[in-house]
Amino acid sequence: MQVIRILVVGCGNMGASHAKAYHNLDGFEIVGLVARGESKRKLNKELDADYPLFESYEQALEQTKPDAVCIATYPDTHKDYAIKAFQSGAHVFIEKPLAEDVISAQEVVDVAKRYGKKLVVGYILRYHPSWVKFIEVAQTMGKPLVMRMNLNQQSHGYMWDVHRNLMSSLSPIVDCGVHYIDVMCQMVGAKPVRVSAIGARLTDEIPNWNYNYGQLQLHFEDGSVGWYEAGWGPMISQNAFFVKDVFGPKGAVSIVANKASNEGKSDSVAAHTQTESLRVHYGELDGHNEFVRADEWINLSDEPDHQELCNREQLFFQKAICENLDLSVSMEEAINSLRIALACDEAVRTKQTVEL
């Protein structure tokens, strides 16, 4: 088996999860952990390992000469780190969003192609069987579709530190929204044509230009529409913070995540990927305007937890490298979802609808 020597950059929530995947999966060898502060030492201890530790990314690249790099840092470093990795001869797994802006994201993709290296972006829901099924069932509900999704997080403690740091460079509807924009685009399969959005700044602990609550509305050329809502902070309500709901002319499908939507779970990274059940509603009526079919519950036996999803992402990354998969479509889709999310940011700030 080909062993992929990988350098992990960023040892926070997602970096730690990916490092655990590399540590436990066959075919990977961690050659170093890179982070500022103590997170890399804490991760080494959690893994019961003694991986080389680095403060400097450039120094780590030079000394370890990895086959691949996992970039799980804040988005303002993504472009620079990814390009340096490609130039050093390494493949890249990078957490979403791909970059801070569309031009930078396109540049990262172009450099990956120029050097003939693989670039996988961390769209974790693409590896979740229940989300795959959710998209599949939504596609049977006719057109146009109405897609309603949110992930509001009443963040506190460590997670409020994480969110404040993220908001130094991007908004919640960009950071989280790219996931759900990606899902909506898969469900509809039509061109998005315009966006509108609203936002509110509910704390002085973030930059003046940013906002910690936002909602985007996405319009497609086939008449389908979708909204996504995201709020971060200790002031965010926990009422209806987990909505994943789609309906069309033929009926509806919804994620019903009873445990994941419990009180106190809104800022739990592990809870965000839990689905538990899909509820399928059929809209057909009989001559008395009563429903012809009862609602159907789909409970998939394969319900991976957050760590298992990270494992599956990395197994795909491994396959992409070892089998030389063509990732052109997924790279373009990553740029597209970022383009839409950033247009939503523009809509918030200009208070105008933005044509795509």
Side-chain angles (χ1 to χ4, degrees), residues 21 36 127 178 199 225 228 230 263 276 304:
R36 301 189 187 101
Y127 305 90
V178 289
V225 294
Y228 174 71
E263 286 288 321
E276 300 172 43

Side-chain angles (χ1 to χ4, degrees), residues 36 38 214 218 266 276:
R36 301 189 187 101
E38 292 299 308
L218 186 53
S266 67
E276 300 172 43

Side-chain angles (χ1 to χ4, degrees), residues 245-306:
D245 183 51
V246 179
F247 51 89
K250 297 180 181 179
V253 57
S254 310
I255 290 179
V256 182
N258 296 319
K259 293 178 183 177
S261 58
N262 284 346
E263 286 288 321
K265 291 286 187 69
S266 67
D267 69 344
S268 165
V269 173
H272 297 166
T273 53
Q274 290 179 341
T275 56
E276 300 172 43
S277 299
L278 298 179
R279 183 173 187 166
V280 184
H281 168 68
Y282 301 96
E284 183 183 358
L285 299 174
D286 62 18
H288 302 286
N289 287 337
E290 298 297 335
F291 292 117
V292 173
R293 298 176 64 181
D295 287 2
E296 177 186 355
W297 290 86
I298 300 174
N299 297 288
L300 297 187
S301 58
D302 185 7
E303 177 67 14
D305 62 15
H306 183 264

Side-chain angles (χ1 to χ4, degrees), residues 199-258:
R201 183 174 180 268
L202 304 173
T203 175
D204 291 331
E205 296 185 58
I206 62 175
N208 289 332
W209 56 264
N210 210 346
Y211 52 95
N212 65 310
Y213 169 82
Q215 189 209 52
L216 63 87
Q217 300 92 39
L218 186 53
H219 307 252
F220 293 85
E221 64 180 357
D222 68 351
S224 296
V225 294
W227 61 254
Y228 174 71
E229 175 189 61
W232 292 344
M235 74 294 292
I236 302 298
S237 167
Q238 289 222 122
N239 185 46
F241 67 80
F242 189 96
V243 176
K244 308 290 185 291
D245 183 51
V246 179
F247 51 89
K250 297 180 181 179
V253 57
S254 310
I255 290 179
V256 182
N258 296 319

